[in-house]
Amino acid sequence: MNIHSIPGGKKQTRKKKHNRAKTAFVPAASLKRRVPWLIAFLAVVFLLLIARIFHLQVSSRGWYLKKAQGQWRRTTAIAASRGTIVDANGVELAANISAYKIVIWPQSAKSAEKPRIASELASLLGVDEANLISRLNSERISEYVVKRGVDKETADAVTALQLGRGVGILPDVKRYYPYHSLLSQTLGFTTVDNVGQSGLELTLDKYLTGREGKYIAETDRTGALLPDSAIEYIEPEDGCKVRLTVDSYFQSYLESALEEAVSVNNASNAQGIILDVTDGAIKAISTKPDLDLNAPPRSDLEKLAELSKNRVVTDAYEPGSTFKILTLAAALDSGSTTLSSNFYCNGGYIVGSERIKCWRHAGHGSQNLTEATENSCNVCFMQLALSMGCETFYDYLYAFGLGQSTGSGLPGEGSGIVTNGKYVKENDLARIGFGQSIAVTPIQLAAAVAAAVNGGELHTPYIVDQVISNDGKVVYEMDTAPVRRVISEETSLKLRKILQSVVDNGTGRNAKIEGYAVGGKTGTAQKYDKYGRVSVGSYICSFIGFAPADEPRYLCLILVDEPHVSSIFGSTVAAPYVRRVLSDVLTHARIPKTDFNTTTVEIPNLVGLEMQEALDKLSELGLYGLHETDEHVTVQVPAAGQLVPYGSSVLLYTGREGMNEEPDSPYMVEMPNLIGMSPIQAYDALKALGLKMQSEPADPYGEVYAQSVYAHQQVEFGSTVTVYFRSDNPILTLAPTAAPTEQPTEDPTEAPTGEPSETDAPYGPPSPAQP
């Protein structure tokens, strides 16, 4: 059909054209309105792109550069040498030796080789295989140290395994102690990574630790080093050198004596310290047994902690009679007593409603101050403490440094136990006077006595003299000025004369040294069991001595803890060792001899002789022997060839000391008659029946005049019998055959009647003390 034949067709065609024209016009207007929005959107995108580029190129440049460098660079740490520790003469006590460290480079190891690498290294080096596999498969680790301090033989064994480019052997340093166990508890040791773990190695770690160096080189895409590709080398900075006050010769003298004291007495341990009284320098300090610092028992933590314990600074104990030195110094300086003061001892002293016994129950009779100190009379020192009063006495005790750390800087130092004065009763004060109801550490007692005899000035005991940097600068130096004056020079002079008399004429005579004036004091403190009762046969035997007595230079304190010998050895156990140590020290230090009036005797060799033959030989030389059994002599103290003053005693050991064992079921034995026997005869008679002897006085002589259990009475096996020996007082010969005893208290913590004791337990029951 023709279009023209349709009615209205032309009109409709025009309308459609008009609509098309209208439709084409609408999009142009819309775009015009949206252009600003489009421009804004594009501007935002552009700005974000600029910000991202800025972030990548500027803000995070360092991070991405480091990540990129990590892919083509390898940084290897170069170990710095740990600072050395030397003695006062420059002798190295802690040094470093060359070693190797085994490392792995995960990026350089082939995937197929990784299981073999982990297996072989774990087997050879004793490390965890699963941990090595984890490290080898990590994409974040470029280098991992498998083990440090490896010796050359082990390093060669790793090389022989041919584990590929993923395993390396690099130079390293290892801590080494040339003298193995010398000064072991004080020096301490390091971890396998050369980080201080105990002792001075720990407390001075910030000085001893150096700063590691670095070696940076390029690698190829497999992680292998490119030849001659070193980019940077940073030199390691070694640690500081620490100079101690200890003299290695003095230390060896002390340790040798302590080892022998533990061995021959079968003791739990022995402790000792040597001080220079003029400035407080610690010249030697030790506890035996100890450990080899090159091979500490790391797998047994309990044993490691026990052997690493420096008991001279950590352990507090009741000092007993050695404490009387401080009581005497305070009483003289305060004017509470004079050299002409007289004291009467009838075997005890009533304080309040309590009678406190002297260690010698028969009493010492009338005596002046010097004689009372020679006799170590408890009654005298109770009266001295009470005459001063708590306030004055405590002022001196605190001035001597008790109740607080000495400030030595040694790790783990204790402060002792001093009961607050407001809680101290009269009977407590009396006991403190003779060394009970108070606890001190050995280093506290040594520092306090040093102040008492050096002219009256308290010095801080110290062991670190200097810390010297790698370039020679002194980083630290100890100030040796006195802390304070405690007593006057005049009082100190009087005290020295009295203590010299103790060695010349009293309980300390086994510390006499040919050619030198020596002062000192014995101490025998009983210990307590877990119930707070006196532990029969458990002692801490000690002696503190100084020389030359007229112008003191060195002081030595030795404690022997729980020697397995009878009380007959009481005050004689420690004194011979102090004598030996001081003799060696004075000789080495070239201190001139000043006392030429001492008659000396050379001790013969008694080892292998029958006991009676040995005793006879000593008697011919003006010496006397102490022993427990009548078998062959196996050890003697002092040793053969040593010079000792005329009248000294020699300890004779047979190897069977303390061998009597109590039976599983206690039984009764008949008490023998000991009257008229010598100390040795009485001891042997009791020992044969399984009984223990407690002698009075502690250092017995003469004949038995009384015994605490009547002859022919039944007594339980293992019991302790107190045996009384005749003195020069003729009245005592009229004493009955059994000493009067008191009714036992119902308090289970009270010390058994008739058992003289000093204690080392801070909260133990009050009991008498022996010198």
Side-chain angles (χ1 to χ4, degrees), residues 627-630 679-689 693:
H627 66 105
E628 289 193 25
T629 62
D630 287 329
I680 299 301
Q681 291 171 331
Y683 178 79
D684 290 344
L686 292 175
K687 189 176 182 67
L689 296 173
M693 186 176 89

Side-chain angles (χ1 to χ4, degrees), residues 121-165:
L121 291 181
S123 176
L124 179 63
L125 303 178
V127 295
D128 184 51
E129 183 176 348
N131 179 58
L132 279 183
I133 285 289
S134 174
R135 303 291 181 178
L136 284 165
N137 292 330
S138 174
E139 295 181 356
R140 298 181 178 181
I141 298 176
S142 60
E143 178 178 290
Y144 174 71
V145 178
V146 180
K147 191 169 185 178
R148 296 190 61 180
V150 172
D151 57 31
K152 188 177 186 302
E153 289 75 16
T154 304
D156 289 343
V158 172
T159 302
L161 293 174
Q162 298 182 354
L163 299 176
R165 293 181 299 182

Side-chain angles (χ1 to χ4, degrees), residues 455-680:
E457 293 182 333
L458 179 69
H459 287 268
T460 299
Y462 69 102
I463 199 166
V464 178
D465 187 19
Q466 288 182 328
V467 177
I468 305 169
S469 67
N470 196 30
D471 57 3
K473 294 181 180 178
V474 177
V475 178
Y476 166 85
E477 187 168 18
M478 178 63 185
D479 180 7
T480 61
V483 178
R484 57 181 165 268
R485 174 167 289 282
V486 183
I487 60 175
S488 68
E489 291 187 20
E490 182 182 359
T491 299
S492 181
L493 176 60
K494 293 177 182 177
L495 182 68
R496 293 199 300 268
K497 290 182 178 180
I498 293 175
L499 295 177
Q500 181 181 345
S501 183
V502 171
V503 173
D504 290 341
N505 310 306
T507 56
R509 57 182 175 273
N510 282 332
K512 294 181 69 174
I513 302 174
E514 185 267 329
Y516 296 99
V518 179
K521 188 75 186 71
T522 58
T524 307
Q526 275 195 313
K527 301 181 72 173
Y528 294 87
D529 62 20
K530 60 183 179 180
Y531 303 110
R533 298 174 301 191
V534 172
S535 179
V536 177
S538 294
Y539 303 92
I540 292 184
C541 300
S542 63
F543 187 85
I544 188 165
F546 58 93
D550 47 354
E551 193 174 347
R553 178 66 188 276
Y554 297 113
L555 174 146
C556 179
L557 168 64
I558 287 181
L559 300 89
V560 183
D561 191 0
E562 295 188 12
H564 288 180
V565 295
S566 71
S567 62
I568 198 170
F569 279 21
S571 63
T572 63
V573 168
Y577 296 107
V578 172
R579 185 199 67 80
R580 189 175 99 185
V581 170
L582 283 179
S583 178
D584 290 340
V585 164
L586 295 170
T587 301
H588 181 78
R590 297 183 180 179
I591 304 295
K593 295 183 177 181
T594 56
D595 185 0
F596 300 101
N597 298 320
T598 304
T599 302
T600 58
V601 179
E602 182 176 338
I603 296 180
N605 185 6
L606 306 172
V607 175
L609 299 182
E610 291 283 354
M611 185 59 67
Q612 191 56 51
E613 184 181 357
L615 294 173
D616 291 342
K617 205 165 186 179
L618 290 175
S619 179
E620 292 173 0
L621 297 173
L623 306 174
Y624 64 98
L626 293 176
H627 66 105
E628 289 193 25
T629 62
D630 287 329
E631 302 183 26
H632 287 84
V633 178
T634 58
V635 177
Q636 62 184 80
V637 179
Q642 292 193 29
L643 294 176
V644 298
Y646 183 89
S648 297
S649 62
V650 179
L651 307 186
L652 302 175
Y653 296 83
T654 65
R656 298 186 61 82
E657 285 72 23
M659 293 289 285
N660 264 3
E661 298 289 340
E662 295 186 12
D664 294 334
S665 301
Y667 61 91
M668 308 303 287
V669 295
E670 184 177 319
M671 180 67 194
N673 186 356
L674 306 176
I675 306 304
M677 291 187 181
S678 68
I680 299 301

Side-chain angles (χ1 to χ4, degrees), residues 291-309:
L291 72 163
D292 184 348
L293 295 176
N294 292 317
R298 300 182 192 272
S299 59
D300 189 340
L301 296 182
E302 185 177 350
K303 181 179 180 181
L304 181 63
E306 181 70 14
L307 295 179
S308 301
K309 193 174 185 181

Side-chain angles (χ1 to χ4, degrees), residues 237-248:
E237 184 178 326
D238 294 341
C240 298
K241 178 170 69 174
V242 175
R243 184 184 300 277
L244 304 182
T245 59
V246 169
D247 186 304
S248 55

Side-chain angles (χ1 to χ4, degrees), residues 53-120:
I53 293 172
F54 180 85
H55 173 73
L56 294 174
Q57 295 294 325
V58 180
S59 300
S60 299
R61 178 179 181 277
W63 186 85
Y64 284 103
L65 180 62
K66 184 177 181 180
K67 188 173 182 179
Q69 289 176 344
Q71 296 175 352
W72 55 272
R73 287 184 180 183
R74 179 186 297 165
T75 301
T76 300
I78 303 174
S81 290
R82 189 172 177 83
T84 58
I85 302 178
V86 301
D87 79 344
N89 303 309
V91 176
E92 287 190 347
L93 302 176
N96 305 293
I97 57 174
S98 297
Y100 302 90
K101 60 181 176 181
I102 311 301
V103 300
I104 55 174
W105 298 300
Q107 310 306 322
S108 301
K110 295 180 180 180
S111 298
E113 294 178 342
K114 289 181 179 180
R116 176 174 172 260
I117 291 173
S119 175
E120 296 282 13

